[in-house]
Amino acid sequence: QAVVTQEPSLTVSPGGTVTLTCGSSTGAVTSGHYPSWFQQKPGQAPRSLIYGINNKYSWTPARFSGSLLGGKAALTLSGAQPEDEADYYCLVSDDGGRVFGGGTTLTVL
Amino acid sequence: EVQLVQSGGGLVKPGGSLRLSCAASGFTISSAWMTWVRQAPGKGLEWVGRIKSNAGGGTVDFAAPVKGRFTISRLDSSNTLFLQMDSLITEDTAVYYCVGKDTWGQGTLVTVSS
C-alpha cells in the first residue's frame, strides 16, 4: 500500500496564497490516481472539496483550485480567509483501493 | 437534497462485532459508489472500504487492516448501507463515516475496549 505524504502544517496570511501538496511513495501522482481533496474543521465531518485533480463542487469556494505539480497533487488557496483554517486531506487511488494522506493543518494568521 | 444519516456505533469488547448503518436520501445507493472512512481519536482520515455501484459491478474493496474482518453490504429496499465489523480490535476505535455522492454522513463513534 502506498504511503501518501502531505505537509504536516502550513501557515498563510489572510489574503495570501498557499499550496498544499500530496505525494505518493510509489512515484508520481497522475490523473490515474484520481486525486481528491477534503476539508475538515474541528468537531465536524469532513467536506469534499476537489475531485479528479481539479474539479470543484457547487459548494467549493472559487479561491480553491487543484492541479498536478512536480509529480504531486496540489491544492492551491488564493486569497485565504479566516474560515479556511482547517485540516486538509488528499485521497488517491492505489492498488484497487484508495489511500488518504496524513493531512495538513492550515493556519490562517 | 442528498443526505446520509448514520447509526449503530457504541462500545464493544475486543473480539466482538458491530454493525453500522447509513441511511441515504436524495439518491439511490445502488447507483453510487459508497465508501466507509474512519478517523481514530486525534488522528487523520483512513479509507476503510468501498462498494461500487451496480453499473460498476457492485464489487467491494477493503483496506489491508480490515480485510477479512469487515463486510460492506446494502439493502436497496431501504436505501441503506451497512458496515459489518467482526473480530474487532482496539485499533478499530474511531469515528466511522459513510460517504456517497460526495456527501459525508455525520459519523458514528466505535469504541473497542475491555
Side-chain angles (χ1 to χ4, degrees):
Chain A
Q1 178 175 307
V3 175
V4 179
T5 304
Q6 299 181 240
E7 297 86 1
S9 63
L10 291 170
T11 299
V12 61
S13 300
T17 296
V18 64
T19 297
L20 290 64
T21 68
C22 173
S24 173
S25 61
T26 61
V29 175
T30 68
S31 59
H33 291 92
Y34 202 77
S36 302
W37 292 91
F38 304 87
Q39 178 192 63
Q40 186 179 33
K41 296 182 179 180
Q44 296 183 15
R47 181 174 74 147
S48 302
L49 208 57
I50 298 281
Y51 67 98
I53 303 177
N54 57 4
N55 298 289
K56 301 179 187 181
Y57 300 97
S58 59
W59 56 81
T60 305
R63 58 185 180 274
F64 288 96
S65 63
S67 64
L68 294 179
L69 196 64
K72 297 181 179 182
L75 177 70
T76 299
L77 171 58
S78 304
Q81 301 297 309
E83 61 265 29
D84 299 328
E85 190 162 286
D87 292 329
Y88 292 85
Y89 296 90
C90 67
L91 177 67
V92 298
S93 294
D94 173 65
D95 194 25
R98 307 208 80 195
V99 181
F100 279 102
T104 296
T105 297
L106 182 65
T107 301
V108 180
L109 189 62
Chain B
E1 180 195 6
V2 173
Q3 194 173 13
L4 298 170
V5 177
Q6 298 182 228
S7 60
L11 174 65
V12 61
K13 288 182 167 50
S17 298
L18 204 59
R19 189 178 79 158
L20 306 184
S21 300
C22 173
S25 57
F27 73 103
T28 303
I29 61 170
S30 60
S31 67
W33 290 32
M34 300 295 296
T35 299
W36 288 96
V37 174
R38 69 184 181 183
Q39 187 170 35
K43 302 296 185 182
L45 301 177
E46 181 183 15
W47 189 88
V48 172
R50 166 195 64 206
I51 182 167
K52 295 182 180 179
S53 64
N54 283 346
T59 55
V60 180
D61 297 291
F62 286 102
V66 306
K67 196 174 294 186
R69 300 189 298 120
F70 288 14
T71 306
I72 295 175
S73 62
R74 57 180 185 227
L75 186 60
D76 293 347
S77 60
S78 62
N79 211 32
T80 302
L81 179 75
F82 301 100
L83 179 67
Q84 177 67 40
M85 304 182 292
D86 299 320
S87 303
L88 284 161
I89 58 178
T90 56
E91 290 81 4
D92 295 321
T93 294
V95 173
Y96 284 73
Y97 297 99
C98 65
V99 188
K101 283 289 189 184
D102 308 306
T103 297
W104 291 65
Q106 83 276 18
T108 187
L109 177 63
V110 172
T111 303
V112 184
S113 174
S114 55

